[in-house]
Amino acid sequence: MKKQVHSIEVRNAALARLSERGVTVEDIAEIVYLMQSPYHPGLTMEPCIESVKAVLEKREMQHAILVGIELDTLAEKGLLSEPLQSIIATDEGLFGCDETLALGSVFGYGSIAVTTFGHLDKHKVGVIKRLDTKTAEGRVHTFLDDLVASVAANASSRMAHRMRDEQEAEMARAEALREHEAELRVEEKGKGTEQAG
């Protein structure tokens, strides 16, 4: 019977691969901040970082990161067979498997994540731009730039939904407080009427 890989091992490997490729949680959180701050004045980096970390805890995201970075690394070393080697090494314009892998990890976070991913894929924000820029160093980030966009889009969507939930909970608390205060006023008024009688 083959050994089952423990989820902690998978998570640690995915985080290690990102780090080895020069991508930090903070790099991705900066993109989340840029995407969400127009809608939430006063937003700080802390919830953005927390949201990125939560997305990176998802096994499906970890698997996509491991697969994508492995293919990028093999292409860097020239270890893929042709024509796949050339397609991935040059980030061939008509090659869509990188976006497909990343997009598959976005669907679990709803339509906000899907549209945010499309925006990030087109506009190359933050660290995504650095990864997408082809350099003479021989580095290949064909999959990684899209995977980072996927994590950022998921974290951004997660934050948008949670912040709405928090706003609605705050409104419900305020309404409950108003109702309670109104009940107290009615009660006090009733006591005053009894004493007057």
Side-chain angles (χ1 to χ4, degrees), residues 37 47 54 63 96 98 117 126 142 144 174:
S37 59
H63 291 165
D98 46 345
F117 175 78
T142 298
L144 183 57

Side-chain angles (χ1 to χ4, degrees), residues 37-56:
S37 59
Y39 309 103
H40 304 285
L43 180 66
T44 64
M45 282 293 289
E46 286 76 23
C48 300
I49 290 169
E50 186 272 325
S51 196
V52 170
K53 286 180 177 178
V55 168
L56 289 171

Side-chain angles (χ1 to χ4, degrees), residues 15 18-19 22-34 44-53 56 125-128 130 148 151-152 155:
L15 293 173
L18 285 173
S19 178
V23 176
T24 66
V25 167
E26 291 75 17
D27 289 334
I28 304 171
E30 284 175 15
I31 299 168
V32 175
Y33 178 83
L34 288 170
T44 64
M45 282 293 289
E46 286 76 23
C48 300
I49 290 169
E50 186 272 325
S51 196
V52 170
K53 286 180 177 178
L56 289 171
V125 176
V127 69
I128 299 167
R130 175 175 60 81
V148 168
V151 174

Side-chain angles (χ1 to χ4, degrees), residues 19-117:
S19 178
E20 289 162 9
R21 304 299 283 183
V23 176
T24 66
V25 167
E26 291 75 17
D27 289 334
I28 304 171
E30 284 175 15
I31 299 168
V32 175
Y33 178 83
L34 288 170
M35 301 310 311
Q36 286 300 307
S37 59
Y39 309 103
H40 304 285
L43 180 66
T44 64
M45 282 293 289
E46 286 76 23
C48 300
I49 290 169
E50 186 272 325
S51 196
V52 170
K53 286 180 177 178
V55 168
L56 289 171
E57 287 295 321
K58 297 290 186 186
R59 191 174 286 115
E60 183 177 274
M61 194 76 251
Q62 295 162 0
H63 291 165
I65 288 167
L66 291 173
V67 169
I69 291 177
E70 187 74 12
L71 287 167
D72 283 346
T73 304
L74 291 171
E76 262 180 20
K77 295 175 180 175
L79 296 175
L80 297 172
S81 59
E82 289 295 352
L84 188 60
Q85 172 63 40
S86 295
I87 291 169
I88 293 177
T90 62
D91 198 0
E92 166 66 46
L94 296 179
F95 181 69
C97 295
D98 46 345
E99 282 91 358
T100 302
L101 178 65
L103 190 57
S105 303
V106 169
F107 290 129
Y109 283 88
S111 60
I112 293 172
V114 173
T115 56
T116 301
F117 175 78

